Amino acid sequence: MPASQAESEESSDGDDDFGPSLPSVDAPRKKRRVFKHEKIYLNNMPSFERYTKSYMHRADVRFVNVASDTNFVLTMSEDGILKFWKKLSKGIEFVKQFAAHSGSITGTSLSADGKLYASIATDNTIKIFDVSNFDMINIINLKFSPRCVCWLQKRNQAEAYIAVSDKNSSRIMIYDSRGDQEPLYVLPELHKVPVVALNFNPIYDCVLSVDELGMIEYWQPSGDYDKPDHVFQFKSSTDLYEFRKNKCVPSSIEFSPDGKHFATFSFPDRQVRIFDYKSGKMTRKYDESISVANEMQQSGTALRILDDIDFGRRMAVERDLDKDDDKQQRINAIFDDSGYYVIYATYLGIKVVNIVTNKCVRLFGSEDNIRFLNLSMYQGTPNRKDIMTVEMAASDNTLVSESFTTDPTLFATALTKKRFYLFTKYDGEFISIKGERDVFNEKPTRADREKSAEVAKKRQLSNAVTLHTSMGDIHIRLFPEHAPLAVENFVTHCRNGYYDSTIFHRVIKKFMIQCGDPLGDGTGGESIWGKEFKDEFSVLKHDRPFTVSMANRGPNTNGSQFFITTENTPWLDNKHTVFGRVTSGMDIVKRIENLKCDKDDKPEDPPSIVSTSVL
């Protein structure tokens, strides 16, 4: 469960009492906060922990927006391709696509009623779309580079204005979505530095904007564009300086359906914060930082404990994400339709947190090994009838029954993926959908075919080998996904009997045992390609005993020799390629380590590899 610095799960009665308390045995227990009807709310959410469908674009998918009122899903990839999908009673159906932009996408926005959609890109244009008719209705050419965009339109409001921030200045421009390239109004000095996130609260007719320094401003999208009267009087009485104090910046601002709260996800501190809209007070904070993730993994308190290799790989992805502002801007924290749950993506998967009880109630995609980014939720009824009579409701008509069917679906984009993913309610076994969930709705490119061939080649490599030595068997797990060349070289030599009868020619106590030289003196051996091959450094480190690594005489000089460590040897990191770990036969390794050796570290009676078995 994410850490919280706001309300406690327990009642606050008596929290302000001073003086010594009674012994805990006799003290009355405080009541836990009860959240009524939670099963009903959870029943209107996806339930299957793994994604059930995914669909393709030809480039990485950046944003996904769900128009629940019009039953449309819109996905935008980084190459400027916009796709319209219609929400059906079960799943979605492709409708139409547009080559919307010639530049890289920087932002998208959907109006409150789901009828209008806008996108901005590095080609310095705003493209406006009519969602219900899936058609482009206007192009606005900008005289600046846009950073973020949002609609300033209430539900069913006739005027459709749109706000766009300038990437290189503090200006916010307001346009008529049906007008020309001249802005209706310019806010030049609301912020001192460029604005990085915008969102409109249609319930209270107010815009929230945040700049690169983490300063949040409230303003009305009409009149004098000042702070509305219905919110706090002084910012000093709020928690809105939280970002500036912690030197972090929100990547997104999302409002709850009733407009009473808003959620942010910020970098570099990786905190999810929930604020009360009117007072500006923070009511919840969830720490998703890398340091907390490490602590919870080591203490065993994480929602899911990963093996060390998987955890290390995921942390490497998170550290890369910290360096990429563009990818950070895609991450958001959204509310469900009830407003009681906040949903956001982490290294572990997509968390659904009840902000009343402060508990993580669901975790999606943890086993899919994908880093999800941008989220959007559909919780409507796709076939709902606008007019329903009593006779229709009481009838046995199949079409009428289907109009009450709900298909709650969570849509997600992912890091460096040309797909977007659907999490739904599914009661079957995963094995029955495993081979069908990835839909190939795009023709593979040449790069895709080459990548698929490379992946297939890696899968052909074995992931385990047994060394049958003169002192006993040593079982080794291999990692072709991290060191494909080293594993291919090692496995091929094993299959060809190259290591048969070779001796452990170098043994150093409390360090390592070395083998793989046909000459037996440490000067021989070559790779399967007849030449030295390059190093492959990865998340695998010399951080434990019984690590299997390539021996070399300098950078990129790998041949056939390898060694097995008997202690932690961190000084070897980024000098020798780790490609395996001993999983069984550690006692054999220790026995070899303790053999009596001469001054050149060669055992007086060297053991040998009799044969090998590739598993």
Side-chain angles (χ1 to χ4, degrees):
M1 182 180 72
S4 170
Q5 294 187 4
E7 298 174 358
S8 169
E9 293 178 14
E10 301 176 340
S11 171
S12 59
D13 293 343
D15 283 353
D16 295 328
D17 292 343
F18 287 88
S21 60
L22 293 170
S24 58
V25 176
D26 299 324
R29 290 191 175 186
K30 296 178 182 180
K31 294 181 180 179
R32 286 187 176 274
R33 179 166 294 174
V34 177
F35 184 60
K36 295 182 178 180
H37 315 302
E38 183 166 29
K39 288 184 178 180
I40 297 175
Y41 294 119
L42 291 178
N43 192 50
N44 196 32
M45 284 191 193
S47 58
F48 197 62
E49 293 183 350
R50 307 190 72 165
Y51 74 87
T52 53
K53 283 288 182 184
S54 75
Y55 295 89
M56 295 178 66
H57 274 249
R58 296 183 73 86
D60 291 355
V61 183
R62 290 203 169 191
F63 300 101
V64 57
N65 297 87
V66 171
S68 295
D69 291 359
T70 53
N71 295 323
F72 275 95
V73 179
L74 299 98
T75 56
M76 180 71 83
S77 54
E78 65 179 11
D79 58 354
I81 299 298
L82 170 65
K83 289 189 177 185
F84 286 78
W85 309 79
K86 183 67 175 177
K87 186 70 184 71
L88 306 177
S89 57
K90 292 291 182 182
I92 59 175
E93 178 182 57
F94 174 72
V95 178
K96 191 175 183 180
Q97 80 173 33
F98 282 90
H101 294 273
S102 58
S104 181
I105 296 298
T106 56
T108 63
S109 181
L110 191 67
S111 63
D113 55 14
K115 295 179 180 179
L116 294 172
Y117 177 85
S119 60
I120 54 174
T122 55
D123 59 4
N124 296 348
T125 62
I126 310 173
K127 300 293 176 72
I128 311 295
F129 294 87
D130 180 339
V131 175
S132 298
N133 296 309
F134 35 90
D135 195 13
M136 185 187 295
I137 59 175
N138 196 12
I139 300 174
I140 301 176
N141 294 304
L142 304 174
K143 299 176 182 178
F144 58 91
S145 298
R147 177 68 178 267
C148 53
V149 60
C150 84
W151 286 97
L152 310 178
Q153 182 193 32
K154 295 182 179 181
R155 287 180 177 273
N156 302 314
Q157 183 180 342
E159 297 83 4
Y161 300 147
I162 193 166
V164 183
S165 69
D166 185 350
K167 180 181 179 181
N168 300 310
S169 76
S170 62
R171 295 181 305 164
I172 300 174
M173 266 65 72
I174 298 175
Y175 294 88
D176 182 347
S177 63
R178 297 178 178 88
D180 55 21
Q181 63 185 16
E182 293 302 321
L184 298 175
Y185 193 82
V186 178
L187 283 74
E189 298 177 351
L190 183 65
H191 290 269
K192 295 182 179 180
V193 293
V195 171
V196 296
L198 283 166
N199 208 347
F200 174 61
N201 188 335
I203 306 298
Y204 291 98
D205 193 29
C206 178
V207 183
L208 264 64
S209 55
V210 59
D211 61 31
E212 290 179 345
L213 295 176
M215 295 299 295
I216 290 184
E217 302 293 343
Y218 285 54
W219 50 279
Q220 290 179 305
S222 59
D224 294 331
Y225 297 89
D226 292 330
K227 180 173 69 67
D229 296 331
H230 60 260
V231 299
F232 55 87
Q233 184 177 2
F234 301 107
K235 190 182 287 188
S236 58
S237 67
T238 73
D239 293 323
L240 298 179
Y241 288 109
E242 173 80 5
F243 303 103
R244 185 67 185 270
K245 289 177 182 176
N246 291 281
K247 297 181 180 180
C248 59
V249 181
S251 62
S252 66
I253 300 173
E254 300 286 349
F255 286 101
S256 60
D258 60 8
K260 294 181 178 179
H261 295 87
F262 65 91
T264 66
F265 196 114
S266 57
F267 284 91
D269 66 345
R270 293 172 176 265
Q271 307 276 328
V272 178
R273 294 175 173 89
I274 312 294
F275 289 86
D276 178 81
Y277 161 72
K278 286 188 176 181
S279 68
K281 292 288 187 179
M282 184 172 62
T283 59
R284 281 282 188 263
K285 182 162 73 170
Y286 304 104
D287 192 342
E288 299 293 344
S289 62
I290 292 178
S291 60
V292 167
N294 276 295
E295 290 173 8
M296 297 181 74
Q297 171 74 10
Q298 292 172 8
S299 64
T301 57
L303 287 175
R304 180 180 171 221
I305 305 301
L306 307 172
D307 65 63
D308 291 343
I309 294 174
D310 188 18
F311 182 75
R313 183 194 63 78
R314 296 192 189 204
M315 287 297 100
V317 171
E318 296 304 305
R319 284 189 285 271
D320 289 341
L321 190 59
D322 277 342
K323 304 172 186 176
D324 196 324
D325 292 340
D326 178 58
K327 292 183 174 63
Q328 291 173 14
Q329 292 301 314
R330 307 178 204 175
I331 297 179
N332 59 348
I334 63 173
F335 289 92
D336 77 317
D337 283 354
S338 72
Y340 293 125
Y341 299 88
V342 66
I343 307 164
Y344 55 92
T346 71
Y347 81 97
L348 203 56
I350 300 171
K351 291 184 178 181
V352 180
V353 180
N354 186 321
I355 61 174
V356 177
T357 63
N358 208 31
K359 291 182 178 293
C360 182
V361 294
R362 283 188 182 157
L363 180 65
F364 295 117
S366 182
E367 296 183 18
D368 288 316
N369 230 352
I370 298 170
R371 191 15 166 131
F372 298 102
L373 298 177
N374 191 250
L375 308 177
S376 194
M377 177 92 91
Y378 178 88
Q379 293 179 277
T381 50
N383 296 324
R384 181 184 59 227
K385 305 298 182 184
D386 293 331
I387 300 176
M388 179 70 69
T389 65
V390 175
E391 290 80 6
M392 290 173 64
S395 70
D396 293 329
N397 190 308
T398 305
L399 295 177
V400 174
S401 299
E402 285 184 357
S403 68
F404 293 102
T405 302
T406 60
D407 182 34
T409 305
L410 177 63
F411 296 86
T413 69
L415 185 67
T416 64
K417 297 293 183 182
K418 299 177 182 179
R419 291 182 170 274
F420 65 98
Y421 302 85
L422 284 65
F423 294 88
T424 62
K425 298 181 75 171
Y426 176 70
D427 299 325
E429 296 292 331
F430 174 66
I431 192 67
S432 63
I433 63 169
K434 184 176 181 181
E436 302 174 356
R437 60 179 186 159
D438 295 320
V439 179
F440 290 91
N441 54 296
E442 290 280 2
K443 185 178 179 181
T445 62
R446 181 177 178 181
D448 292 333
R449 290 193 294 270
E450 291 175 352
K451 186 175 181 180
S452 297
E454 183 180 344
V455 170
K457 183 179 179 181
K458 289 181 181 179
R459 287 177 177 171
Q460 290 175 359
L461 297 177
S462 173
N463 60 5
V465 162
T466 299
L467 304 181
H468 305 288
T469 77
S470 56
M471 297 184 71
D473 290 351
I474 300 173
H475 302 276
I476 298 173
R477 178 189 174 187
L478 305 175
F479 302 101
E481 67 274 20
H482 296 297
L485 295 179
V487 171
E488 182 181 1
N489 181 68
F490 183 71
V491 168
T492 304
H493 274 328
C494 288
R495 283 177 174 153
N496 294 338
Y498 187 87
Y499 293 129
D500 294 358
S501 301
T502 58
I503 64 170
F504 288 87
H505 63 270
R506 185 171 178 235
V507 173
I508 301 177
K509 195 170 184 179
K510 293 188 177 181
F511 181 27
M512 61 91 217
I513 62 175
Q514 187 170 332
C515 188
D517 178 12
L519 300 181
D521 58 5
T523 63
E526 63 179 10
S527 73
I528 60 173
W529 300 284
K531 59 182 181 181
E532 297 168 341
F533 63 94
K534 66 179 182 180
D535 297 320
E536 297 169 293
F537 303 134
S538 67
V539 295
L540 299 175
K541 304 297 181 183
H542 299 81
D543 55 359
R544 68 195 73 181
F546 310 111
T547 294
V548 186
S549 193
M550 290 300 299
N552 60 44
R553 51 184 178 80
N556 304 312
T557 58
N558 300 289
S560 66
Q561 294 187 44
F562 62 95
F563 61 90
I564 302 173
T565 64
T566 58
E567 300 286 340
N568 294 349
T569 55
W571 62 89
L572 300 181
D573 291 343
N574 298 323
K575 294 181 180 179
H576 295 268
T577 299
V578 176
F579 66 93
R581 309 270 194 206
V582 175
T583 58
S584 180
M586 289 85 158
D587 57 325
I588 306 301
V589 175
K590 297 300 285 185
R591 285 175 58 193
I592 296 174
E593 177 197 21
N594 290 318
L595 291 174
K596 190 174 182 180
C597 301
D598 61 20
K599 62 179 182 178
D600 295 320
D601 300 318
K602 183 175 182 178
E604 294 180 354
D605 184 15
S608 63
I609 296 176
V610 178
S611 62
T612 58
S613 296
V614 178
L615 307 177

